[in-house]
Amino acid sequence: MFAPFRRQTPRRALWVALAGTSLLALPATAYAADAPAEAEAEQAQPSGGHDIVITARRREENIQNVPIAVSVVSAATLDAQGTYNISRLTQLTPTLQFYSQNPRNTFVNIRGIGAPFGLTNDGFEQGVGVYIDDVYYNRIASATLDFVDVERIETLRGPQGTLYGKNTTAGAINITTRAPSFDFEGKAEVTLGNLNFKQGKASVSGPLSDTLAARISVTTTDRRGTLYNTTTSSYIQSQDSVGVRGSLLWKPSEDLRVTLSGDWALQDPNCCAFAYGSYGPTQRAANRQYPALVSYFPGYTVPSTNPYDRVTDADAALAARNEIGGLSARAVWDVSDSNTITSISAWRFWDWSPANDRDYTGLPIYTKVNNPTKQNQYSQEFRFNHEGNGFDFVAGLFGFYQEIRTSGIQQTGTAASKWLLAPTSALSNNPAVLNNVVAINDIRLDNTSLAAYAKVNWELTDRFTVSPGIRVNYDKKKGLYDSVVTGTASDGTRQIVSPVPGSPYYNDAWIAAQRGVQASQFFEPSFSAWNLSYDVNLRYQATRDINFYATYARSFKTGGINLNGVPADNNGAPIQAAATIKPEKVNHFEVGIKTQFWDRRATFNLTGFWTDIRDFQANVSNGQFGTVRGYLANAEKVRTRGIETDFSIRPTERFNAYVSGAYTDAKYVSFCDAPPPPELSGGNTLPATGACTYSGTVSAPGTPGGNSPPFVDASGQVLPGVSKWAFSWGGEANVPGKLFGEDGQFYLGYDASFRSDWSSNPTPSIYTNVNGYLIHNFRTGFRTGRFDVFAWVRNAFDRNYIDLLLAGTGGNTGLIAAQTGDPRTWGGTVKFSF
């Protein structure tokens, strides 16, 4: 009973500290009448009218001179638009897609590729790398924390690997936090809004001696949930996070800088569940589809069939505790004027403690589907940078080790027999048959990656630069999957639910019924391979403000192993051929132009790209092995191509505007054994006759009791999770004025983002296509060089939209579960700096 008190104590203490810091800042702002407001105003604007310096290529460069597709968002823009995590970053970066059922089940894609959609598996790599201060975060779940004292975020699009520690095929998100300062400085920020939204941030930095400086930053976010649970009479999908980051900068000389950093963050919301989305008929027998199944439970009704009522009746315990932290040491030694050695050492941990209701109903079908996970990762990177006359290069070594341990449980309840067994079976009327069928899962991964890479920039002429790069990579994965399923036999004893013919109680009617739901399985997959990747960038500077560039990259995503179970053969043994996943092989082409004009008050950039991927790692069904079970395997070929554009303008200091857009055409080129969509699943499964062939005729979609294919040919269909069209735009106007005796600016800002419809299922389905939507945000306030006070409203016109659609409870009952986007939110923010 003391858990809520313990959980709130750090937060209350943090809020007291934030309030105290804000009060301490007040006297400083009271005497700031002569402080110029232009510096803060300049920082707060989107790109345009001034140079933006980035470090995407491991050295400081003007973004307009970098021959790759990259976007950058400053800390001021993040704060002004309320972007405090990667999820909200998608409204500023059209080609970035982020979808999350909870921190563990999170997918981040760029240009439609990055992670297999719809299935969680620790045995594969991310296609989008996330770096914070040069430290690689291997799992997206460990990077869902709120931003703490961020200086800028760079999103690189396209394969990365000849400049970055870990090879990635889709791109990288490079986050840079503020470094310790030898000048005393600080800031504090408090935000209040509807839905009981409370957010506080504070940061203080300054010298401890002539050679040592420190910075400490804290953040906390708390918000009432947006989904009401009628079972518990409480709101869920809340936000509840706290984070602390500290760093020490030791600078014994101008040539050596050593930064020690540590961070800790905790997310502990009341989360996560889905609302009823819709019903779509499948091929399952009519008496086993959602309307009939619900009728077997007199008195049960779904609380609402409109997902925008934002109600659910989840009856299982819910939790989404996500604890993240680590330590790093970054040393930069300028050996000479032209040579620099950098070392980055890091340890990180991730502790995930979930509780889920995975039947998406208020019935006790699955009472537990929880997979708590603990991860430790260690990385070491060495880089050598050389700047010569007409050329420069970077060479590096990267080592990474990751250990993941998952101890999971799945448990059925008293409604499982009626819901999961055919009503023609006498056992379906006996709740005891499937009640308390328990799977205890022991899942382990040891992941090692070693690499050497190099990149050269060679100026052939004053205008033409060639930049080749190369990477040699070795990866080794060793895993274990041990699921022990126990159930109650017809004689009342607890027994192992074994898939092996002839095993004890194999022919027991109750055990046989339980085996149809889940059976024990054990296997130890492993994978190791060397890979070579390379790229070349060409840059031609036509004029001072016009740059053309072209890129070819031959990249890869390392192979993986299945750690969520694999199909079994006729003897119940796991099929070892399905335990490993082949590496992705990527051919990437890109051309672009970067321009500035009107005395650099306007910027226009245009990029075209084409990416082919062979052996694309995807969620598939086991057609070639004669049974149907979702797991990860390789689709033969995928292609994504498109055009991206960015335009910004700042004609005067009083006005700026921007628009970014992307057209993305991402498709399966060849994918013959894709999982059947809901409307073709659940019927009489036709027999597979080969790797991608089967015999018989498939019934029309949504025919109850019809024939279902063991797999479908998805060739030519769209990839999941990507909109064909995406745009973001906005602007800000300001006028000089005076408030509280301070000279500054009154301002009005507007931002919007649009995404067209997209598929929310691994194979496109008529039931899980998410409609496009347009979101408008407004803000208005007054700022000086010392403080900023403003009011804001997001999703100003209260647009109803869907974040995610899922086929629920086995995928073929016809139930579609929905995760709705945020309704209109509004509030106010006060920021002080000193």
Side-chain angles (χ1 to χ4, degrees), residues 456-534:
V456 178
N457 296 311
W458 183 16
E459 297 179 3
L460 295 180
T461 70
D462 290 343
R463 296 182 180 272
F464 185 59
T465 302
V466 178
S467 303
I470 191 170
R471 179 187 183 91
V472 178
N473 213 92
Y474 172 75
D475 291 285
K476 180 179 180 181
K477 291 181 171 67
K478 182 179 180 181
L480 177 144
Y481 180 84
D482 185 9
S483 180
V484 179
V485 182
T486 57
T488 303
S490 58
D491 62 5
T493 61
R494 295 292 291 179
Q495 300 294 334
I496 299 292
V497 180
S498 173
V500 180
S503 59
Y505 283 79
Y506 183 83
N507 293 319
D508 182 88
W510 287 29
I511 296 297
Q514 294 160 13
R515 186 168 55 247
V517 175
Q518 187 167 1
S520 301
Q521 189 172 89
F522 175 89
F523 62 97
E524 294 181 279
S526 62
F527 171 87
S528 63
W530 288 89
N531 273 288
L532 175 70
S533 57
Y534 48 88

Side-chain angles (χ1 to χ4, degrees), residues 86-87 90 94-110 112 115-118 140 144 274 719-724 726 755-760 770 773 802-806 819:
I86 292 178
S87 172
T90 59
T95 50
L96 179 68
Q97 298 92 34
F98 180 97
Y99 308 106
S100 180
Q101 300 176 39
N102 55 46
R104 172 74 166 78
N105 291 39
T106 298
F107 313 94
V108 177
N109 291 338
I110 293 177
F117 194 90
I140 295 297
T144 57
F274 281 66
L719 290 178
V722 56
S723 298
K724 180 164 287 189
R755 292 184 182 277
S756 62
D757 63 329
W758 55 277
S759 169
S760 186
V770 177
Y773 57 87
I802 295 294
D803 275 337
L804 202 62
L805 292 175
L806 294 177
Q819 184 182 75

Side-chain angles (χ1 to χ4, degrees), residues 230-242:
T230 59
T231 300
T232 60
S233 299
S234 63
Y235 284 95
I236 59 176
Q237 315 296 66
S238 65
Q239 296 179 14
D240 186 346
S241 64
V242 59

Side-chain angles (χ1 to χ4, degrees), residues 118-130:
L119 184 65
T120 300
N121 191 321
D122 286 323
F124 69 92
E125 302 291 335
Q126 303 294 326
V128 178
V130 177

Side-chain angles (χ1 to χ4, degrees), residues 4 16 38 56 62 196 257 292 297 366 394 416 419 441 453 469 481-482 514 562 603 700 751:
V16 171
E38 287 77 14
N62 183 342
N196 297 326
R257 301 171 298 283
F297 300 89
Y366 289 100
V394 57
W419 192 276
N441 303 319
Y453 61 86
Y481 180 84
D482 185 9
Q514 294 160 13
N562 269 299
T603 299
D751 300 284

Side-chain angles (χ1 to χ4, degrees), residues 254-305:
E254 291 298 320
D255 299 330
L256 180 62
R257 301 171 298 283
V258 180
T259 305
L260 302 177
S261 301
D263 66 277
W264 173 85
L266 174 65
Q267 297 171 316
D268 196 10
N270 186 8
C271 189
C272 301
F274 281 66
Y276 176 97
S278 64
Y279 161 68
T282 71
Q283 308 286 53
R284 205 177 195 189
N287 62 2
R288 298 195 66 195
Q289 296 201 37
Y290 182 78
L293 291 170
V294 170
S295 72
Y296 301 151
F297 300 89
Y300 175 75
T301 57
V302 65
S304 174
T305 57

Side-chain angles (χ1 to χ4, degrees), residues 709-777:
F711 40 73
V712 296
D713 187 351
S715 302
Q717 298 194 51
V718 298
L719 290 178
V722 56
S723 298
K724 180 164 287 189
W725 296 97
F727 295 94
S728 62
W729 65 89
E732 185 177 291
N734 68 78
V735 294
K738 181 173 289 189
L739 187 66
F740 305 136
E742 297 250 1
D743 291 323
Q745 298 173 348
F746 291 96
Y747 62 91
L748 175 66
Y750 162 72
D751 300 284
S753 63
F754 166 80
R755 292 184 182 277
S756 62
D757 63 329
W758 55 277
S759 169
S760 186
N761 199 66
T763 304
S765 167
I766 57 177
Y767 304 142
T768 58
N769 193 65
V770 177
N771 292 329
Y773 57 87
L774 171 61
I775 301 297
H776 302 272
N777 310 310

